[in-house]
């Protein structure tokens, strides 16, 4: 079933309010969210639907940007919007936040988009949120627990789920397009791999879906005590497996990633959306030979390699400042020969059409400034293959000193070996 078709039949406006059991998800989330609200935050609500969170937050005086894929959700939200609310509505996909500038929001609520995105798409969404949230900002990131979804589907009255083709018979992974479920540890590892600090993960609804009928039958005092119990245990690891809806609270830390624009260039964290431009350069045999790797064979291969670059906080794309053309990559990695604090290794490559234009020198000067001034490095190393005379000229222009040649030090992808010419620098270039 297509996503648009699904949400034509799902009454999202009623989902969190239709019963006491259903309301637990909303009450729990608001309990946690209020801990991060101080009266002045600008909030982005991704997958806002009909405004379950956007409306009360705007009512409380917060500036809220509500974004949803479904126009009919936004139409309903618009009908409920009050004149005094600082609430703007945007129709769009959570994987493309290009309408928002970097560092625009204090808090992001991602309450539903990850329910429908495969891991590769989740990375794109997370990367976009990382860009638009402020340094130190908070993200509430919701996801579905496969263990709980399996239990709910299996025990649903008159269910034909068990022994069906709706899950992998070996791994018990639920196949429920257009929904995507995962496991707590895997989700948390994904969030951390994207550069976020994981503050906590909590259960939004606990056993509310499986025990909905019984919860709805509780008296008001009993329900209040059940809610108090749920809030007391909703962070316990044992409880997380039983909740269909989970939220990880993430914090962004960008200070170490900030680089200044140069005359022509912007150096910034890569995005999964860069994979097409990157592939066009990385498939070139001449570029691959200079870098020591096999030419990329497909867009899928580039996507996988790019996802690994996203984990490194000190790998940046080299972009044309005016039109965001990607020229290549530049990085500060651990020195493979001196793995100690204060020692880093400069790495870079750019597409062949951009060779000989001074782009790497311009980018590297800013990265080296950052390394010595902000990271307080004591020495930077850099290496090139003997046949890479272009890289040699770049290194010499940056003021590096020749240190020696390591013979047969680098193993090529085809099993052959090449020398590495080594250089060092102990102060930023002028």
């Amino acid at each position: 079933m297509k996503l648009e078709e699904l949400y034509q039949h799902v009454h999202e406006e009623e989902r969190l309010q239709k019963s006491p059991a259903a309301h637990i998800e909303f009450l729990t989330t608001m309990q946690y969210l209020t801990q991060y609200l101080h009266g002045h935050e600008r909030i982005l609500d991704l997958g806002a639907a009909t405004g379950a969170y956007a409306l009360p937050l705007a009512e409380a005086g917060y500036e809220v940007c509500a974004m949803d894929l479904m126009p009919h959700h936004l139409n309903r939200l618009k009908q409920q919007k009050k004149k005094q609310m600082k609430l703007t509505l945007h129709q769009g996909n959570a994987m493309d936040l290009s309408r928002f500038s970097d560092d625009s929001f204090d808090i992001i609520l991602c309450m539903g988009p990850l329910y429908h995105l495969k891991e590769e798409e989740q990375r794109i969404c997370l990367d976009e949120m990382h860009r638009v949230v402020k340094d130190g900002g908070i993200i509430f990131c919701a996801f579905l627990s496969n263990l709980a979804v399996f239990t709910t589907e299996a025990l649903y009255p008159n269910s034909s789920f068990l022994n069906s083709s709706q899950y992998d018979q070996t791994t018990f992974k639920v196949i429920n397009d257009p929904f995507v479920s995962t496991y707590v540890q895997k989700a948390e590892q994904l969030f951390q791999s994207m550069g976020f600090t994981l503050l906590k993960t909590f259960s939004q609804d606990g056993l509310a879906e499986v025990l909905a009928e019984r919860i709805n039958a509780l008296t008001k005092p009993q329900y209040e005590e059940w809610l108090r119990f749920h809030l007391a245990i909703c962070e316990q690891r044992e409880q997380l497996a039983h909740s269909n809806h989970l939220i990880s609270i993430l914090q962004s830390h960008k200070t170490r990633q900030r680089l200044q624009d140069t005359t022509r260039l912007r150096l910034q964290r890569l995005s999964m959306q860069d994979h097409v431009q990157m592939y066009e350069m990385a498939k070139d045999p001449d570029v691959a030979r200079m870098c020591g790797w096999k030419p990329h064979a497909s867009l899928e291969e580039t996507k996988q390699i790019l996802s690994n670059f996203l984990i490194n906080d000190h790998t940046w794309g080299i972009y044309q400042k005016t039109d965001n053309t990607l020229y290549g990559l530049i990085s500060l990695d651990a020195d493979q020969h001196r793995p100690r604090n204060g020692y880093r290794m400069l790495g870079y490559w750019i597409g062949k059409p951009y060779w000989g234009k001074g782009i790497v020198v311009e980018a590297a000067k800013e990265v080296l400034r950052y390394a010595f001034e902000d990271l307080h490095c004591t020495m930077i190393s850099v290496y090139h293959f003997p046949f890479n005379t272009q890289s040699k000229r770049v290194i010499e222009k940056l003021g590096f000193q020749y240190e020696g040649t390591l013979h047969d030090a680098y193993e090529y992808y085809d099993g052959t070996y090449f020398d590495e010419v080594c250089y060092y620098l102990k102060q930023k270039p002028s």
Side-chain angles (χ1 to χ4, degrees):
M1 180 184 292
K2 293 183 179 179
L3 201 58
E4 292 82 357
E5 182 182 350
L6 170 72
Y7 282 103
Q8 289 292 341
H9 298 285
V10 173
H11 299 291
E12 191 65 24
E13 187 175 5
E14 302 172 3
R15 190 178 73 82
L16 300 179
Q17 308 291 338
K18 64 184 178 182
S19 70
H23 200 44
I24 288 174
E25 180 182 333
F26 173 80
L27 293 173
T28 304
T29 304
M30 290 302 293
Q31 176 87 2
Y32 277 87
L33 183 55
T34 53
Q35 299 174 25
Y36 298 92
L37 296 173
H38 305 290
H40 60 271
E41 285 79 10
R42 187 170 188 242
I43 301 169
L44 173 62
D45 187 0
L46 292 177
T50 56
Y53 297 100
L55 287 170
L57 290 169
E59 183 74 51
Y62 291 95
E63 182 182 353
V64 181
C65 294
M67 184 171 173
D68 198 86
L69 188 62
M70 305 301 161
H72 69 278
H73 284 167
L74 294 172
N75 288 337
R76 181 58 186 141
L77 182 50
K78 184 177 181 180
Q79 293 170 10
Q80 300 175 80
K81 175 185 175 183
K82 296 179 181 178
K83 187 175 181 180
Q84 74 273 15
M85 288 181 175
K86 294 182 288 184
L87 174 61
T88 56
L89 310 182
H90 306 270
Q91 194 273 326
N93 192 310
M95 292 189 291
D96 180 8
L97 305 182
S98 56
R99 70 192 70 197
F100 303 119
S101 302
D102 295 1
D103 308 318
S104 294
F105 300 98
D106 302 285
I107 294 177
I108 298 178
L109 309 181
C110 184
M111 297 300 198
L114 298 196
Y115 295 173
H116 306 294
L117 300 177
K118 296 181 176 66
E119 182 175 332
E120 178 184 294
E121 296 170 323
Q122 290 177 348
R123 286 184 175 275
I124 295 174
C125 179
L126 289 163
D127 192 59
E128 279 288 83
M129 288 192 288
H130 190 283
R131 180 181 63 80
V132 302
V133 75
K134 294 179 180 178
D135 187 23
I138 298 296
I139 296 177
F140 274 53
C141 211
F143 60 98
L144 299 175
S145 163
N146 189 79
L147 296 176
V149 170
F150 185 96
T151 303
T152 302
E153 294 291 335
L155 300 182
Y156 194 81
N158 304 315
S159 172
S160 59
F161 177 78
L162 292 174
N163 303 124
S164 74
S165 61
Q166 294 176 263
Y167 64 94
D168 186 301
Q169 300 286 322
T170 302
T171 64
F172 298 100
K173 184 73 169 65
V174 176
I175 304 167
N176 191 22
D177 184 68
F179 289 98
V180 176
S181 56
T182 187
Y183 296 93
V184 177
Q185 185 176 4
K186 184 177 180 181
E188 291 178 336
Q189 288 173 344
L190 171 64
F191 300 148
Q192 291 172 305
S193 76
M194 297 299 294
F196 296 105
T197 297
L198 176 66
L199 300 182
K200 62 183 68 176
T201 299
F202 68 89
S203 156
Q204 286 180 282
D205 51 1
L207 295 166
E209 287 211 30
V210 176
L211 300 180
E213 186 176 343
R214 296 185 182 184
I215 292 173
N216 290 336
L218 295 174
T219 65
K220 183 177 179 180
Q222 289 172 332
Y223 176 78
E224 290 175 350
E225 185 63 8
W226 174 262
L227 180 61
R228 192 172 73 87
F229 167 70
H230 164 72
L231 291 171
I233 67 168
C234 65
E235 290 181 41
Q236 293 184 11
R237 303 302 286 186
E238 307 97 293
Q239 175 70 352
L240 297 181
H242 300 298
S243 178
N244 280 57
H245 301 90
L246 299 160
I247 284 183
S248 284
I249 304 178
L250 315 174
Q251 187 168 32
S252 169
H253 294 286
K254 299 184 179 182
T255 304
R256 61 185 181 278
Q257 300 176 20
R258 294 189 182 280
L259 294 171
Q260 297 173 11
D261 288 354
T262 67
T263 303
R264 295 178 291 173
L265 308 174
R266 174 171 293 115
L267 307 175
Q268 64 185 31
R269 197 167 183 268
L270 291 153
S271 164
M272 283 301 295
Q273 294 175 332
D274 291 322
H275 73 278
V276 175
Q277 291 191 80
M278 181 174 166
Y279 169 67
E280 290 301 318
M281 296 182 288
K283 70 180 183 181
D284 189 314
D286 291 335
V287 173
R289 180 171 180 267
M290 296 301 181
C291 296
W293 30 258
K294 189 176 182 180
H296 290 199
S298 67
L299 278 170
E300 290 305 313
E301 180 182 0
T302 300
K303 284 182 181 180
Q304 182 58 49
I305 292 171
L306 179 55
S307 69
N308 293 330
F309 286 139
L310 294 179
I311 299 173
N312 188 344
D313 287 330
H314 293 109
T315 296
W316 303 274
I318 305 172
Y319 298 89
Q320 161 56 248
K321 193 162 60 174
T322 56
D323 64 9
N324 222 36
T325 297
L326 178 66
Y327 289 144
L329 277 65
I330 191 164
S331 64
L332 284 173
D333 299 307
D335 189 326
Q336 56 190 340
H337 301 299
R338 286 173 280 249
R340 303 190 295 275
N341 289 336
Y343 293 77
R344 292 294 182 106
M345 178 179 66
L346 179 69
Y348 51 81
W349 67 269
I350 62 171
K352 190 174 180 179
Y354 314 118
W355 290 2
K357 301 180 185 298
I359 290 171
V360 173
V361 172
E362 186 174 331
K365 283 184 176 181
E366 169 54 20
V367 170
L368 292 170
R369 178 209 63 76
Y370 170 79
F372 287 112
E373 292 183 2
D374 296 351
L375 295 184
H376 307 292
C377 291
T378 53
M379 187 166 76
I380 307 296
S381 59
V382 68
Y383 307 91
H384 72 80
F385 298 132
F387 55 80
N388 193 342
T389 56
Q390 296 101 317
S391 192
K392 178 182 178 181
R393 286 196 292 271
V394 167
I395 291 167
E396 290 174 344
K397 286 179 180 179
L398 291 170
F400 280 84
Q401 299 296 308
Y402 174 71
E403 191 169 14
T405 299
L406 293 171
H407 296 284
D408 294 336
Y410 187 92
E411 184 180 4
Y412 239 45
Y413 69 88
D414 61 3
T416 57
Y417 288 87
F418 286 93
D419 296 350
E420 285 189 321
V421 186
C422 311
Y423 300 78
Y424 73 95
L425 183 68
K426 288 194 172 183
Q427 61 181 8
K428 69 176 182 179
S430 56

